[in-house]
């Protein structure tokens, strides 16, 4: 059976070789590519932000702990969703992990199916995040193509102002506003104001 996430990789970060071997077997059994690391430092050094997937981090490791790795990942523009595993779970630790961006904290010993379900949830989240990011980048590229005047018109149109009001605000003719508005809509590849507003909101601009 083919994986639903063919380009995604599961990054297992645990200092216990038996855990790394066991999880590698589990994920390989459902056609999920796996990379294993025995330290958080190695993982952070070798895995870039563009690699889709999710990370399984052990809470207690020599050097950087799972929490420390998680907190460093939070500073990246985009990084893999993180599942923390621990044999020493506590409410404060779980709360800190969730605040730092972990999607789950699984206590050892965990059930194989629980781990697989959690990982598939993480991969869906990662795919959604990367799709939204790609959309934002594409939209921002379109926005960059606008002239300064077209950007002014865009901002005023999104603010709900009519052409007559925009013309007055910019001290130009209404025909000039219509010209720049038409060019702006064409460059942004939208047909109506609703699409334009959605595009601007999606861009985060």
């Amino acid at each position: 059976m083919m994986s639903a996430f063919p380009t995604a990789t599961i990054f297992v970060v645990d200092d216990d070789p038996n855990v790394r071997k066991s999880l590698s077997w589990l994920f390989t059994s459902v056609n999920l590519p796996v990379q294993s690391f025995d330290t958080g430092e190695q993982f952070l050094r070798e895995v870039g932000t563009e690699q889709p997937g999710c990370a399984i981090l052990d809470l207690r490791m020599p050097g950087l702990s799972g929490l420390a790795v998680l907190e460093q990942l939070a500073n990246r523009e985009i990084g893999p969703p993180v599942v923390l595993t621990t044999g020493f779970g506590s409410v404060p630790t779980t709360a800190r992990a969730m605040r730092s961006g972990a999607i789950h904290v699984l206590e050892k010993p965990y059930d194989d199916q629980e781990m697989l379900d959690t990982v598939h949830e993480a991969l869906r989240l990662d795919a959604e995040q990367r799709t939204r990011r790609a959309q934002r980048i594409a939209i921002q590229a379109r926005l960059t193509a606008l002239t300064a005047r077209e950007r002014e018109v865009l901002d005023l149109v999104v603010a709900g102002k009519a052409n007559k009001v925009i013309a007055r605000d910019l001290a130009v003719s209404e025909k000039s506003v219509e010209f720049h508005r038409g060019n702006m809509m064409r460059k942004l590849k939208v047909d109506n104001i609703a699409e334009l507003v959605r595009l601007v909101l999606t861009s985060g601009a």
Side-chain angles (χ1 to χ4, degrees), residues 109-172:
Y110 40 74
D111 177 82
D112 282 354
Q113 190 59 53
E114 180 183 23
M115 174 60 80
L116 289 174
D117 291 344
T118 300
V119 162
H120 277 90
E121 179 184 343
L123 293 178
R124 282 192 294 272
L125 177 61
D126 184 61
E128 290 168 3
Q129 290 175 337
R130 290 177 184 278
T131 296
R132 287 194 296 270
R133 178 173 179 259
Q135 290 172 342
R136 283 197 303 273
I137 291 171
I139 291 170
Q140 287 164 0
R142 292 188 221 167
L143 290 170
T144 301
L146 299 181
T147 66
R149 179 64 82 191
E150 288 163 357
R151 182 65 207 223
E152 288 177 325
V153 171
L154 166 64
D155 292 339
L156 293 169
V157 169
V158 171
K161 295 191 176 184
N163 285 357
K164 184 185 299 185
V165 177
I166 295 173
R168 185 176 66 243
D169 288 351
L170 297 180
V172 298

